[in-house]
């Protein structure tokens, strides 16, 4: 009975983490898809460059404050309890997203509109800083050891479900609302994005506390300043975490995660493709890439069992390193085969990415686990948008022919895959 209860608790905790965590990728695709609309509604200016900087500044602000959120919620999670931290970060992410969908625009309230948008984006970032890595810590601590690799894969798939669903919902909403999408449809996308976080909040309000954290409290191992302990005792595992996660972060942010932005604005112009067609194709590839990633993530537990957790990074990351230029070429030229290439890329990315949460939560002891995982993860999240700038710069500098464009467009992805391999080669102590 206790075993069944533990499994049920694990599944509910993992579901709630999957729902909130998925918002990270939901937000990426949502913002890139709606950037031109948000620019007109919140940041109108006679200077297009000023409007663009203000718009993407709102996007980037969420990521810059995520390390702060990791420290705040890391302290709460390690010192005051896992479940309390998960409840607070889910509430913050869900409510901030919901309110963004209801905001008045610049044409209604003037300068107050962009100020409110920036403020809510900052709150989102702080909440995500607590959730990313932290929610997985709580869920996996509630999971029996024998099924952790499989529960972990299902939980991590929330990120890729978000890629698939956001691309699909954005395409559907654009089709349904037509001309009204710029006035009403974009709001629906934000409001629906808040629903999973609010569902997760309800689950967590009735969830259980982590037995590992409770045992840590009883044994007197709680530390007053977890981040100080991380930097004084656990630098090597933190470096392994940063390299693996940074590699995957820049692979996505400097690659397929921003195809919906770079394909219509840069690639389409250089290759004389209609911009609307390029955007729709990028969203279609996002759907297939998301499906592939879900498949890879769900199957990741079997790969971990077969080759061990470190090689479960090295094998698929090496394949991504080799195949990325071809995948980018097929996508940028809108070749029909790019659908299958995007699916394969998604599977390999899912196989590589999913083991992160299981691995990272096992290389730090319970008394600093939330802080270490969340801080390392969200430090990379703050760096991630810079790889998008690098991608844009590379594409703008590329010759206007398919293969050079693909090679320039895959440089960041190749570098990301290489970092994953290097991080996985570092040997560290494992904690059960």
């Amino acid at each position: 009975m206790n075993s069944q209860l533990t499994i049920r608790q694990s599944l509910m905790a993992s579901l709630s983490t999957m729902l909130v965590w998925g918002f990270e990728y939901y937000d990426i695709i949502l913002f890139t898809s709606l950037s031109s609309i948000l620019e007109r509604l919140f940041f109108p200016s006679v200077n297009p460059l000023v409007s663009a900087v203000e718009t993407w500044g709102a996007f980037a602000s969420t990521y810059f404050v995520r390390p702060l959120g990791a420290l705040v919620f890391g302290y709460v999670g390690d010192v005051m309890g896992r479940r309390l931290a998960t409840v607070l970060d889910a509430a913050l992410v869900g409510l901030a997203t919901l309110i963004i969908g209801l905001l008045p625009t610049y044409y209604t309230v003037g300068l107050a509109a962009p100020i409110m948008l920036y403020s809510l984006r900052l709150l989102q970032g702080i909440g995500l800083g607590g959730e990313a890595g932290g929610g997985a810590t709580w869920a996996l601590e509630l999971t029996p050891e024998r099924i952790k690799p499989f529960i972990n894969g299902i939980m991590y798939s929330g990120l890729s479900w978000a890629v698939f669903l956001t691309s699909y919902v954005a395409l559907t909403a654009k089709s349904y609302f037509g001309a009204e999408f710029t006035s009403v449809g974009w709001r629906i996308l934000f409001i629906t994005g808040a629903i999973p976080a609010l569902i997760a909040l309800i689950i967590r309000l009735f969830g259980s506390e982590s037995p590992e954290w409770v045992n840590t409290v009883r044994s007197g191992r709680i530390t007053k300043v977890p981040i100080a302990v991380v930097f004084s005792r656990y630098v090597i595992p933190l470096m392994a975490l940063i390299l693996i996660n940074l590699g995957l972060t820049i692979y996505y942010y400097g690659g397929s995660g921003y195809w919906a932005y770079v394909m219509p604005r840069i690639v389409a112009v250089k290759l004389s493709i209609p911009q609307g067609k390029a955007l729709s194709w990028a969203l279609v590839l996002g759907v297939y890439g998301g499906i592939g990633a879900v498949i890879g993530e769900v199957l990741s537990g079997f790969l971990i069992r077969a080759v061990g957790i470190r090689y479960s990074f090295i094998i698929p990351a090496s394949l991504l390193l080799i195949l990325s230029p071809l995948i980018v070429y097929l996508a940028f030229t809108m070749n029909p085969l790019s659908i299958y290439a995007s699916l394969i890329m998604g599977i390999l990315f899912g196989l590589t990415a999913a083991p992160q949460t299981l691995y990272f939560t096992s290389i730090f002891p319970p008394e600093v686990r939330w802080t270490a995982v969340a801080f390392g993860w969200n430090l990379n999240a703050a760096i991630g948008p810079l790889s998008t700038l690098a991608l844009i710069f590379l594409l703008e500098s590329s010759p206007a022919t398919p293969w050079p464009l693909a090679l320039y467009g895959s440089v960041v992805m190749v570098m990301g895959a290489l970092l994953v391999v290097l991080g996985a080669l570092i040997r560290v102590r494992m904690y059960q």
Side-chain angles (χ1 to χ4, degrees):
M1 184 67 178
N2 288 336
S3 175
Q4 292 177 351
L5 180 62
T6 302
I7 293 173
R8 186 181 68 186
Q9 290 172 335
S10 170
L11 288 172
M12 294 303 290
S14 299
L15 174 62
S16 72
T17 298
M18 182 175 72
L19 290 172
V20 185
W21 209 353
F23 179 78
E24 178 178 352
Y25 282 14
Y26 183 94
D27 180 68
I28 293 169
I29 298 175
L30 185 64
F31 203 99
T32 54
S33 301
L34 300 179
S35 58
S36 59
I37 295 173
L38 296 174
E39 185 175 312
R40 291 197 300 272
L41 295 179
F42 289 90
F43 306 101
S45 172
V46 294
N47 188 332
L49 179 60
V50 171
S51 293
V53 169
E54 290 173 341
T55 302
W56 288 101
F59 177 77
S61 64
T62 296
Y63 292 84
F64 292 148
V65 298
R66 281 179 57 168
L68 173 62
L71 292 177
V72 171
F73 283 97
Y75 176 84
V76 174
D78 283 333
V79 177
M80 303 173 68
R82 311 296 204 215
R83 193 177 70 88
L84 175 61
T86 63
V87 167
L88 294 176
D89 68 49
L92 194 56
V93 171
L95 290 174
T97 306
L98 177 64
I99 296 171
I100 286 177
L102 303 174
L103 280 180
T105 67
Y106 184 91
Y107 301 102
T108 305
V109 296
L111 189 60
I115 292 174
M116 287 188 288
L117 179 59
Y118 263 82
S119 299
L120 289 166
R121 294 286 300 175
L122 290 172
L123 291 175
Q124 277 182 334
I126 292 172
L128 282 171
E131 178 62 32
T137 297
W138 171 65
L140 288 172
E141 287 179 350
L142 285 171
T143 303
E145 195 68 33
R146 68 184 184 279
I147 61 171
K148 273 188 178 181
F150 307 103
I151 293 294
N152 176 76
I154 294 170
M155 177 184 64
Y156 198 93
S157 70
L159 293 174
S160 300
W161 274 113
V163 174
F164 163 69
L165 289 174
T166 312
S167 299
Y168 178 78
V169 170
L171 285 168
T172 303
K174 287 179 67 178
S175 175
Y176 178 80
F177 285 100
E180 294 184 354
F181 183 75
T182 57
S183 58
V184 178
W186 70 272
R187 295 184 182 276
I188 301 300
L189 295 181
F190 275 104
I191 292 170
T192 55
I195 293 173
L198 298 178
I199 294 173
L201 173 61
I202 295 171
I203 293 173
R204 290 172 174 186
L205 285 170
F206 296 96
S208 302
E209 185 53 271
S210 159
E212 285 192 60
W213 182 80
V214 172
N215 290 336
T216 302
V217 174
R218 289 174 179 170
S219 63
R221 289 183 285 123
I222 293 296
T223 178
K224 292 183 179 180
V225 188
I227 190 63
V229 177
V230 171
F231 279 109
S232 63
R233 300 182 189 174
Y234 303 104
V235 173
I236 292 178
L238 183 63
M239 286 303 301
L241 184 160
I242 288 173
L243 284 174
I244 292 171
N245 185 253
L246 179 61
L248 286 161
T249 299
I250 68 173
Y251 187 94
Y252 185 78
Y253 287 92
S256 60
Y258 282 86
W259 284 353
Y261 180 77
V262 300
M263 282 183 65
R265 288 170 171 79
I266 302 175
V267 176
V269 174
K270 284 183 174 284
L271 299 183
S272 301
I273 299 171
Q275 290 181 295
K277 185 178 179 181
L279 174 59
S280 296
W281 191 250
L283 292 172
V284 168
L285 294 181
V287 170
Y288 281 92
I291 293 172
V294 170
I295 294 171
E297 286 152 0
V298 172
L299 293 178
S300 65
F302 296 96
L303 183 62
I304 292 170
R305 290 292 193 203
V307 302
I309 196 159
R310 291 171 62 243
Y311 279 97
S312 68
F313 293 114
I314 293 170
I315 294 171
S318 298
L319 291 172
L320 284 174
L321 191 155
I322 295 167
L323 295 175
S324 288
L326 175 61
I327 292 170
V328 174
Y329 172 80
L330 294 173
F332 284 4
T333 57
M334 298 178 60
N335 188 304
L337 292 175
S338 62
I339 289 176
Y340 305 103
S342 188
L343 183 69
I344 292 170
M345 179 183 66
I347 292 172
L348 292 173
F349 187 84
L351 286 170
T352 311
Q356 288 182 101
T357 40
L358 181 61
Y359 186 53
F360 298 160
T361 55
S362 68
I363 61 177
F364 298 98
E367 59 266 28
V368 297
R369 183 173 291 157
W370 189 304
T371 298
V373 176
F375 180 76
W377 197 292
N378 289 285
L379 181 66
N380 290 334
I383 299 171
L386 298 178
S387 61
T388 305
L389 294 176
L391 173 64
I392 293 171
F393 174 78
L394 286 166
L395 289 175
E396 290 283 13
S397 305
S398 168
T401 51
W403 265 115
L405 197 64
L407 292 174
Y408 278 63
S410 63
V411 167
V412 177
M413 298 167 75
V414 169
M415 290 176 58
L418 180 60
L419 287 177
V420 173
V421 174
L422 293 175
L425 290 174
I426 299 175
R427 292 186 177 275
V428 294
R429 176 184 173 183
M430 304 285 282
Y431 295 85
Q432 296 297 329

